[in-house]
Amino acid sequence: MITGIYPGTFDPITRGHADVIARSIRLVDRIIVAVALNPGKEPLFELAERVELAKIATQDIPGVDVEPFDGLLVEYVKNRGAHAIIRGLRAVSDFEHEFQMALLNRKLNSHLETVFLMASEEYSYLTSSMVKEVASLGGPLHDFLHPQVAERLTARLHVRRS
Ligand code: ADP
């Protein structure tokens, strides 16, 4: 049973994330989507809500589990008996940060591999930040988010404004 861990902030999960998950499940038997607490990024959604939305957005993909996680990624990967970290790559701008993180994680555990996947090109520009901006300006979200995630984002921004 080969397990991959896909860590991220998922604030909120987009169709780009879901596309990476759907692709990665062709390579491994099980994917754990590890939703990081990541207070440094000051997420819009609470951790429990990001987990819930990730579950909703991946419910039709078999072999996916979603869990919250906090702490050192290499420890989490070891505790879960996982074999690889999955990350997504968009434009060249993602590369440097991802490269640094992959090498740092390898330094912390030399047996750990990071596998990079590209989402479909229609999502290659998509970021959670961009989606939140479109939502705050009242733009259409269907192409970017699962309908229930879009609904929750719109509601959250509405509450924030009022
Ligand atoms: P983090 O804060 O860890 O970067 P994100 O939720 O922003 O968390 O992203 C998690 C991972 O998914 C990262 O590797 C990121 O590059 C990747 N990712 C996000 N959106 C896309 C996308 N549209 N296409 C490909 N990869 C993506």
Side-chain angles (χ1 to χ4, degrees):
M1 177 87 147
I2 306 284
T3 300
I5 302 259
Y6 182 31
T9 313
F10 303 103
D11 184 43
I13 188 165
T14 68
R15 290 194 189 277
H17 290 125
D19 188 87
V20 168
I21 295 165
R23 285 170 197 283
S24 60
I25 202 68
R26 297 187 202 140
L27 304 176
V28 297
D29 302 301
R30 183 167 81 121
I31 284 287
I32 302 176
V33 178
V35 183
L37 183 62
N38 228 343
K41 274 204 166 179
E42 297 185 9
L44 176 65
F45 290 102
E46 297 292 327
L47 181 59
E49 209 166 8
R50 284 182 278 134
V51 168
E52 186 195 344
L53 294 177
K55 283 184 182 165
I56 291 169
T58 57
Q59 64 199 359
D60 294 334
I61 311 172
V64 179
D65 288 324
V66 182
E67 291 181 354
F69 121 88
D70 187 19
L72 201 56
L73 181 60
V74 293
E75 285 300 317
Y76 178 79
V77 171
K78 202 165 96 188
N79 292 341
R80 284 286 170 278
H83 304 81
I85 296 172
I86 309 283
R87 293 285 286 179
L89 275 183
R90 286 164 294 204
V92 183
S93 51
D94 276 341
F95 181 79
E96 191 158 341
H97 174 66
E98 295 292 339
F99 182 77
Q100 279 175 353
M101 272 203 329
L103 288 183
L104 178 67
N105 285 327
R106 180 179 283 172
K107 184 89 189 155
L108 297 172
N109 179 348
S110 59
H111 299 294
L112 191 57
E113 297 301 338
T114 303
V115 178
F116 294 100
L117 296 175
M118 286 177 291
S120 162
E121 61 188 45
E122 61 184 305
Y123 303 127
S124 61
Y125 58 90
L126 194 55
T127 68
S128 296
S129 314
M130 193 201 83
V131 171
K132 284 181 275 194
E133 196 164 334
V134 172
S136 70
L137 297 170
L141 300 174
H142 177 267
D143 287 348
F144 312 136
L145 299 177
H146 183 285
Q148 277 172 267
V149 179
E151 209 173 280
R152 204 72 82 75
L153 176 57
T154 308
R156 170 54 54 88
L157 291 171
H158 191 72
V159 167
R160 252 201 165 182
R161 246 180 273 132
S162 57

